[in-house]
Amino acid sequence: MTTPPAAYLALERQFARRAGLQGALGILNWDSRTMMPAASAAARADQVAALEGAIHAALLDPRVDDWLDSAAGNAHLLDDWQRANLTEMRREHRLATAVPADLVEANARDAARCEVVWRTAKARNDYGLLLPHLRQVLAHQREIAAANAAVLDCGLYDALHEIYEPGSRVADYGPIFDDYAAFLPGFLAEVEAVQDQEPAPAPFQGLFDVTAQRELVQRLAGVLGFAGRVDQSLHAFCGGATGDVRITTRLDPDNFFKALKSGLHEAGHALYEMGRPAAWAAQPVGLARGLAVHESQSLTFDMQVGRHPRFLEWLAPQLAAAFGGQGVAWTADNLRRRFRRVERSFIRVDADEVTYPAHVILRWRLEQALIQGAMDLADLPDAWNQGMRELLGITPPDTAMGCLQDIHWPSGAWGYFPTYTLGAMMAAQLFQAALTAMPDLPDRLARGDFAGLVAWLGENVHRWGRYLSTRDMMVRATGKPLDAGIFKAHLRARYL
Amino acid sequence: MTTPPAAYLALERQFARRAGLQGALGILNWDSRTMMPAASAAARADQVAALEGAIHAALLDPRVDDWLDSAAGNAHLLDDWQRANLTEMRREHRLATAVPADLVEANARDAARCEVVWRTAKARNDYGLLLPHLRQVLAHQREIAAANAAVLDCGLYDALHEIYEPGSRVADYGPIFDDYAAFLPGFLAEVEAVQDQEPAPAPFQGLFDVTAQRELVQRLAGVLGFAGRVDQSLHAFCGGATGDVRITTRLDPDNFFKALKSGLHEAGHALYEMGRPAAWAAQPVGLARGLAVHESQSLTFDMQVGRHPRFLEWLAPQLAAAFGGQGVAWTADNLRRRFRRVERSFIRVDADEVTYPAHVILRWRLEQALIQGAMDLADLPDAWNQGMRELLGITPPDTAMGCLQDIHWPSGAWGYFPTYTLGAMMAAQLFQAALTAMPDLPDRLARGDFAGLVAWLGENVHRWGRYLSTRDMMVRATGKPLDAGIFKAHLRARYL
């Protein structure tokens, strides 16, 4: 075995230091949403800004440039993982240096301000209030897109989406989204016809002890293999740091389904974070592949497993025991009926598995037009409503239920939305492959035995980090690149 | 008003960024001791090392040197606080650059390892196991002392103590410590004679609900004016960050006095942190003066207020209500008797107000000899026991009860111990001055009204940050520099 060149080893040390700072930032962000008193928000903003500056500075260090050049010249002395790591280092460095520091700062400042205005605008249903601030944010995003596109040699929209799912391009997934948009109206009508024949699920009424809800989430996550912290927050998330992954859950006394869903969802994210290659945990090649792949892991447990009829056989008595539930509502069959309800609705986060992609496709189409300059922000509310009519046949009553509903655009997250639906489609395909590999997987789910599935995901997804591209990972795991036909077949099987 | 020169403003920005990173580190250290799963310790060590590296790098930036020179040349354009801030910046920069980076790293690494060995050595009462590791730590400390002494122009021991209480010198407080060592044997005999005449305090027996203990601490801290987080940890501490001060408490079901004492103590620290000058919160001149002054603030509430007979009139019914206590044990008089018990004992952290300084003086004498090379570490156990006989007339049965008891030396905190007793003496002097300024202070304490005392401390200690030296602060607040006679008079009044 040859010794890696000194420049490459210097890069590993620099990126490991940066990973340490990123871990610190992860813990701080977790604290902000779980522990921090509200009065400390200004102090926290200073800490986060200083930390983000130090993380950025680690790549701007002029020695990094020299090391990258030198290591590239000696790439034949590296093994395959080191070479893949060097590729990811170059990518991170290119993106970090593509955007001028003053643009990074202006974008962060204006997006933070816009997000604050958005909260008021949404509450007052006043798009006009948001518009001038959103214009600033969009202007910065278009500049960032242009800067990234120049170094990535790709389109403007791809250059933003790249930040969230490296290597993912509209040319690849755009036809899949358009196909789904065409498929949906007919399919939805079929599903609704079936649904109309079925008795409505028995309701779950009463108050559900939040301590019992939290214990349920902790127990479910534990059964899946997650032993880290489980805390409460307003919006559930998986966060923390490498080696200290933490999840949170929403606790609503009126509705334990939020905690159940978020517990399965965030545990799926956590298992991915815990399963990344340990030897490369502090290096770019050891990171999660991207946010679409990440979403595929959360949705495997949230949607593929979490609503699987055999899993519900195991879950139903767990729920009844946790909340002292009795009667017909607490049967596996009633849970199944509840989970397969489909509805044309205005709010993305409350949407079901079938209509959710329509919400994503709407936003994806609109943000492409806005980033490319083909549409003006003044026209957004009308374009939104028009899109909703085309995709779901409904018209939002106001902008709060329409284009003001999501935090993404005001907070500067443009190009993010496709990861949700790409993740849902990948999850269906991966679950299908796991079923082929383990024909008794449904029986295992019915026994609450998840070890086989988690091991399969670890072997086929988690352990690869960024060593494989998303496409290569999917081909290796499932025999082919992303195939939306598998997702549609899954929907047909579950809802028709 | 003139405009401060650009170099000075650049320094303010650089130090503010550093303060943001230090705040992040404070939150991480809080998390390590309250929230972090034990399995995450290795990941946390990487995060902390990266953060400490970034904090250090902020001062090593070569531009800082130029800015300091340029700002010093234009110091006439600065106002008094800015000038004091520049002085503190120069001091921090001098100390940060005095010690070579590889010595900083070797010290951190070997001290971390030595601390781990110490836990085993203490448990096994095996000084020989610790000795080679402690030799390494001491060797590093002597090198650091020499490096600091060269830039500070002071003695080797002062050069380490400076890190904890800037400007404090053996030449100033050494005679005070020696005087106390001479005073103690006779005074202790007098106290014991009085104590022998007094009935023993009625015991507090049973189990004390830890939730009630924690609520008591939260309520007490709240009455004093602290509204931040109160959590549980193995050892109580005040931590967090500027603008997000957090305290913890020990909760022992057998003994609520630990929680009570730590609550008052840490709230005193927290009030100091909260009262630092807000306009300078992110600048060196806005920091707490030093750890001796810090300890004076915690001991004001822990010892001066917390064991004051009039305060106990207010506290007694609070305790009885918190724990459903009934009978003679829960009277103010019994509390007073319990709090004035004095005992010659081996363990510093359990020592009473009268004998505590002897534990400190012993360590102070020994660490001076070790740092100056006048004593070999192999002779430490014997020298320790000899010192205990001289100061308190008792001999530890083993090294676990002797020189192995404290974490300070193994973990690399040399020159720290004097701050405990300097703080106790300052607290007595400051409380005396507050009594002179507010003759009705005892009546206020008996009503649970602490606003006047907290305001007096804010006006005379907290708001000055590092603008005044410790000596000038004491002179301004009390009319004279540290005067141990006031501490001795306080002890006579309370214990004779």
Side-chain angles (χ1 to χ4, degrees), chain B residues 32-178:
Chain B
S32 300
R33 296 192 262 174
T34 55
M35 298 289 157
M36 187 187 78
S40 302
R44 179 57 45 86
D46 291 340
Q47 295 155 15
V48 166
L51 209 37
E52 285 181 343
I55 290 167
H56 197 224
L59 293 190
L60 296 190
D61 186 327
R63 295 173 304 170
V64 171
D65 245 332
D66 299 338
W67 290 331
L68 284 170
D69 286 346
S70 169
N74 289 298
H76 58 285
L77 297 174
L78 302 177
D79 70 23
D80 290 346
W81 274 84
Q82 289 165 338
R83 213 155 24 233
N85 193 31
L86 182 59
T87 301
E88 292 298 325
M89 288 168 168
R90 296 192 74 83
R91 179 184 164 276
E92 298 224 8
H93 183 253
R94 255 199 327 268
L95 286 177
T97 52
V99 184
D102 56 352
L103 175 53
V104 171
E105 205 182 304
N107 176 62
R109 192 185 52 236
D110 291 335
R113 198 176 300 147
C114 185
E115 187 183 316
V116 173
V117 174
W118 164 75
R119 291 184 198 281
T120 308
K122 182 179 175 179
R124 297 191 193 159
N125 183 30
D126 184 353
Y127 181 71
L129 180 64
L130 181 69
L131 185 57
H133 297 274
L134 197 56
R135 279 199 195 285
Q136 282 185 317
V137 171
L138 176 58
H140 295 320
Q141 289 292 312
R142 294 185 66 194
E143 277 193 82
I144 292 170
N148 284 357
V151 298
L152 292 166
D153 192 22
C154 66
L156 290 177
Y157 185 79
D158 285 342
L160 293 177
H161 180 57
E162 164 82 14
I163 297 166
Y164 306 108
E165 179 66 23
S168 180
R169 297 289 177 263
V170 169
D172 299 320
Y173 67 82
I176 292 173
F177 279 17
D178 288 332

Side-chain angles (χ1 to χ4, degrees), chain B residues 28 34 47 73 87 89 176 185 199 254-255 335 339 362 368 378 391 397 408 439 487:
Chain B
L28 245 62
T34 55
Q47 295 155 15
T87 301
M89 288 168 168
I176 292 173
D254 291 322
N255 182 354
L335 281 178
F339 278 137
L362 170 65
Q368 280 185 91
L391 287 159
H408 299 61
F487 180 62

Side-chain angles (χ1 to χ4, degrees), chain B residues 45 67 132 195 222 261 264 484:
Chain B
W67 290 331
Q195 192 165 269
K261 177 182 167 64
L264 291 169

Side-chain angles (χ1 to χ4, degrees), chain A residues 408-430:
Chain A
H408 299 60
W409 291 339
S411 68
W414 294 68
Y416 186 109
F417 283 116
T419 65
Y420 293 119
T421 288
L422 289 170
M425 292 173 167
M426 280 181 211
Q429 188 165 336
L430 289 166

